Amino acid sequence: MAITFDHVNYMYQPNSPFEAVGLSDVSFTVPSESFTAIIGHTGSGKSTLVQHLNGLLKPTSGTVTVDDFQLTAKTTNKHLKSLHQHVGMVFQFPENQLFDQTVERDIAFGPLNFGFTNEEAMSLAHQAAHDVGLPDELLNRSPFELSGGQMRRVAIAGVLASQPRVLVLDEPTAGLDPRGRAEMMAMFAKLKADQQLTVILVTHQMDDVADYADQALVMAHSNLIKAGTPAEIFANPEWVKAQQLALPTAANFAQHLVTRGFEFDSLPLTAEQLAIQLRGQLPKEGR
Amino acid sequence: MTKIISVNDLSYQYPDADRPTLNHISFEVNAGEWVAIVGHNGSGKSTLVRALDGLIDFKSGTVTVAGTKLSPESVWLVREHIGMVFQNPDNQFVGATVADDVAFGLENAGVPRPEMQQRVQDALEAVDMWQFAEREPSRLSGGQKQRVALAGIIAMNPSIIVLDEATSMLDPHGRQTVLSVLQHLRRSNQAPTILSITHDLSEAAQAQRLLVMDNGQLISEGTPRAIFSDEQLLESTGLDLPFSTKLSQQLAKQGLIAPKHYLTDDELEDWLWQLHLTM
């Protein structure tokens, strides 16, 4: 599903003493089935932006278009149901939102709410549990008996069970250990490929941007200040630093090599890209 | 070297757990040392540092902090030596303003007002947040919040600062500012002992010594260089590989000469430069 923001403005508590700008004239397009990262320091407007994707917030002015659904200031809440079903949101620490007595019922809650029959909902729940790598024997357990990583997978399965076409992930790996992070990012990449999902990822992990994103949006002070491929976003290290962002680890290391006389056609963003660009600048093994 | 923390054969099992979360743990920390505790989620790291502060009612083993053996009678004395900073800064604010929040612990300790005001200012200056003294804590960025939380600890002048994944929720800039405050603090007169739980290898690399936890046990300890050199250990305990190791593996994959043993990022940069000069 393609997504378009057309001159979207959002004001928090408009016409009150607490009025504050949330989004200022934001316009961009996300192609269907792409992987888009949203970056920017804390408080830059990333979360405000993604809350427009399923109508949790409505623009004060401007239009958000998701596939053929249009969200404006005038959209009424009862029209939001199809948007809710098509755009799945995984918030930070989603395991805090688990509530039901068994894993199965917790995952099935979404489909039941969207009007699937009990039988369909259970079947969708089992499929979603399988997709996130939860073993069947956990389905009848209480979600609160599981480990933190498993609880997070239950919460993500609960979002996937409603068969969304867009998956919005707000720092989904926060608090996980390195192996847990790597497994979860690989899981999202596989889900995207298997189910042709459009994925929006809010993240502080520049290495994840380099490894997974087709394009990135950079937010600062409620404005969208740059949009492009990761290579375009990170091409100018001084600019990146001025935005209080970091370079991917490999790009940062490559920058140091440049000061030592190495040359790169484009700034490498991953260890693999860096090694490839070092061919011809280093001796080969066994020579 | 004065030992400031001694843990001897500490074991603990949560009431409903089927195995111990801490399993015969023993280690010591020198005064002024920076020690990082690494290990995957659920390995027992957080339980271990909570035990030091008397937040866990362990039955087996001993904990001695600054010469005082931890017991129900001594717990308040021990806590005076330890300041803890947790993962989520939003859960630890009590004051209406940044200055009030930093003053909270001092007020509880009955510090006279003029001295308190000076200590609040000194602590906020140490973390470079004095200009935010009258602001509301909830309106700060994540990195700013953690620096205020740290200032609340610094104002109490504890001999030990414990950081439980205190940088994990921060953006790269916020993480960097907190780490540089810690580096600065170590060179100040306070020179506290630092015990940090972290998954971030660049943060762990700043410690003098690493303790590796797995499954409730302390399975290894050593300098960052010694631990980072052990790829098998890193992988079996679910830790990340250092960037220099990842790049070395990729160089080998491209048929290029790769270093035969672990190098820090800076050393790898030098090493590559030397090789480049031979071309």
Side-chain angles (χ1 to χ4, degrees):
Chain A
M1 266 184 189
I3 298 164
T4 303
F5 273 52
D6 186 18
H7 297 287
V8 172
N9 287 283
Y10 182 77
M11 297 292 277
Y12 282 102
Q13 306 188 34
N15 308 316
S16 84
F18 303 105
E19 183 176 276
V21 179
L23 292 178
S24 176
D25 197 26
V26 171
S27 298
F28 64 86
T29 297
V30 167
S32 186
E33 296 174 38
S34 63
F35 195 125
T36 300
I38 302 181
I39 56 181
H41 62 81
T42 314
S44 57
K46 304 187 298 289
S47 293
T48 309
L49 190 159
V50 297
Q51 288 180 65
H52 281 78
L53 291 169
N54 78 340
L56 280 174
L57 297 178
K58 286 177 258 183
T60 309
S61 68
T63 310
V64 175
T65 309
V66 178
D67 198 25
D68 55 1
F69 187 95
Q70 292 207 326
L71 180 73
T72 67
K74 294 197 179 66
T75 308
T76 57
N77 285 343
K78 70 174 184 195
H79 286 107
L80 289 175
K81 199 160 186 179
S82 79
L83 191 60
H84 286 161
Q85 188 179 350
H86 288 124
V87 180
M89 306 275 283
V90 177
F91 294 102
Q92 276 185 46
F93 298 98
E95 57 274 21
N96 294 342
Q97 296 168 34
L98 298 176
F99 68 99
D100 219 320
Q101 288 168 1
T102 67
V103 168
E104 183 183 47
R105 287 170 55 94
D106 209 303
I107 300 175
F109 177 78
L112 284 171
N113 211 22
F114 288 120
F116 288 94
T117 65
N118 196 54
E119 200 180 332
E120 288 165 339
M122 291 306 157
S123 155
L124 287 168
H126 283 243
Q127 182 59 43
H130 176 262
D131 290 344
V132 300
L134 285 171
D136 283 345
E137 59 264 29
L138 293 185
L139 286 171
N140 290 318
R141 297 260 296 274
S142 160
F144 303 103
E145 292 172 7
L146 308 181
S147 74
Q150 285 172 331
M151 282 170 74
R152 189 165 298 189
R153 283 171 193 261
V154 172
I156 293 166
V159 172
L160 290 171
S162 302
Q163 302 196 298
R165 305 306 307 140
V166 178
L167 189 59
V168 181
L169 307 162
D170 191 352
E171 292 188 52
T173 62
L176 298 181
D177 56 34
R179 181 185 290 167
R181 275 212 310 262
E183 286 174 356
M184 197 147 283
M185 287 308 298
M187 179 185 93
F188 291 132
K190 183 170 187 310
L191 285 168
K192 173 184 176 289
D194 290 352
Q195 305 186 14
Q196 292 92 46
L197 298 175
T198 305
V199 175
I200 310 277
L201 170 75
V202 175
T203 186
H204 290 312
Q205 309 283 342
M206 298 305 147
D207 287 350
D208 286 344
V209 179
D211 288 339
Y212 293 101
D214 303 313
Q215 66 164 352
L217 307 175
V218 185
M219 295 294 295
H221 307 295
S222 311
N223 288 279
L224 174 65
I225 57 167
K226 199 165 196 159
T229 62
E232 288 162 355
I233 298 292
F234 296 119
N236 182 349
E238 279 80 45
W239 182 86
V240 171
K241 208 173 164 201
Q243 302 314 315
Q244 300 192 357
L245 296 171
L247 287 174
T249 316
N252 191 46
F253 190 83
Q255 273 289 107
H256 287 275
L257 292 182
V258 168
T259 65
R260 298 291 193 102
F262 286 83
E263 287 171 6
F264 302 109
D265 296 337
S266 62
L267 192 62
L269 301 183
T270 64
E272 185 180 19
Q273 290 172 14
L274 176 55
I276 290 170
Q277 288 218 43
L278 285 172
R279 280 192 313 213
Q281 304 193 59
L282 291 174
K284 289 200 174 61
E285 178 68 79
R287 227 183 44 181
Chain B
M1 283 281 190
T2 335
K3 304 285 178 217
I4 192 156
I5 301 173
S6 298
V7 173
N8 190 17
D9 203 24
L10 177 65
S11 294
Y12 178 72
Q13 185 157 352
Y14 284 99
D16 295 327
D18 48 14
R19 58 185 175 81
T21 299
L22 298 177
N23 199 350
H24 299 288
I25 305 269
S26 298
F27 68 94
E28 290 180 324
V29 178
N30 294 321
E33 196 178 13
W34 183 338
V35 173
I37 306 177
V38 298
H40 60 78
N41 285 354
S43 59
K45 308 183 300 289
S46 292
T47 305
L48 176 59
V49 296
R50 277 165 177 71
L52 299 183
D53 211 23
L55 293 170
I56 297 284
D57 182 21
F58 58 88
K59 298 282 188 287
S60 159
T62 61
V63 170
T64 308
V65 176
T68 303
K69 189 174 160 198
L70 183 63
S71 69
E73 291 72 38
S74 70
V75 64
W76 292 102
L77 186 61
V78 164
R79 282 183 192 166
E80 281 179 18
H81 290 282
I82 302 177
M84 295 187 89
V85 184
F86 296 101
Q87 188 178 69
N88 190 344
D90 287 323
N91 296 343
Q92 45 198 338
F93 287 119
V94 289
T97 68
V98 164
D100 283 355
D101 197 82
V102 174
F104 180 75
L106 296 168
E107 273 179 327
N108 278 347
V111 174
R113 193 161 178 81
E115 184 192 339
M116 183 173 83
Q117 285 169 333
Q118 189 58 51
R119 281 167 73 170
V120 168
Q121 179 171 351
D122 291 349
L124 282 171
E125 281 175 347
V127 301
D128 199 16
M129 286 295 289
W130 175 238
Q131 69 273 33
F132 293 89
E134 296 309 317
R135 297 274 285 272
E136 227 182 294
S138 64
R139 294 185 176 263
L140 302 175
S141 75
Q144 290 170 335
K145 285 175 182 170
Q146 271 315 37
R147 275 146 68 196
V148 171
L150 201 50
I153 301 298
I154 292 171
M156 300 296 290
N157 196 12
S159 37
I160 301 163
I161 295 181
V162 176
L163 303 145
D164 188 355
E165 293 192 43
T167 63
S168 68
M169 298 283 288
L170 305 183
D171 56 34
H173 179 74
R175 171 173 299 194
Q176 202 43 55
T177 55
V178 168
L179 289 178
S180 54
V181 166
L182 290 174
Q183 287 290 7
H184 189 75
L185 199 59
R186 274 172 52 76
R187 292 190 296 268
S188 73
N189 291 335
Q190 283 195 11
T193 304
I194 296 176
L195 209 54
S196 69
I197 294 181
T198 183
H199 291 308
D200 181 44
L201 291 188
S202 59
E203 184 179 331
Q206 303 197 19
Q208 290 154 296
R209 194 153 55 97
L210 304 188
L211 304 179
V212 185
M213 299 272 301
D214 189 26
N215 214 356
Q217 291 176 305
L218 188 62
I219 58 162
S220 187
E221 65 173 286
T223 60
R225 176 182 298 277
I227 301 294
F228 292 168
S229 303
D230 193 340
E231 282 176 43
Q232 246 182 343
L233 175 74
L234 293 173
E235 286 191 17
S236 69
T237 49
L239 294 167
D240 219 352
L241 290 177
F243 173 75
S244 54
T245 305
K246 289 181 189 167
L247 181 58
S248 298
Q249 291 174 349
Q250 290 293 337
L251 291 172
K253 216 168 153 185
Q254 295 298 327
L256 299 170
I257 298 181
K260 299 286 177 277
H261 53 87
Y262 170 76
L263 299 175
T264 65
D265 286 1
D266 288 347
E267 290 165 355
L268 181 59
E269 184 187 324
D270 273 337
W271 190 88
L272 290 170
W273 177 58
Q274 298 288 344
L275 268 180
H276 183 56
L277 292 178
T278 67
M279 290 289 284

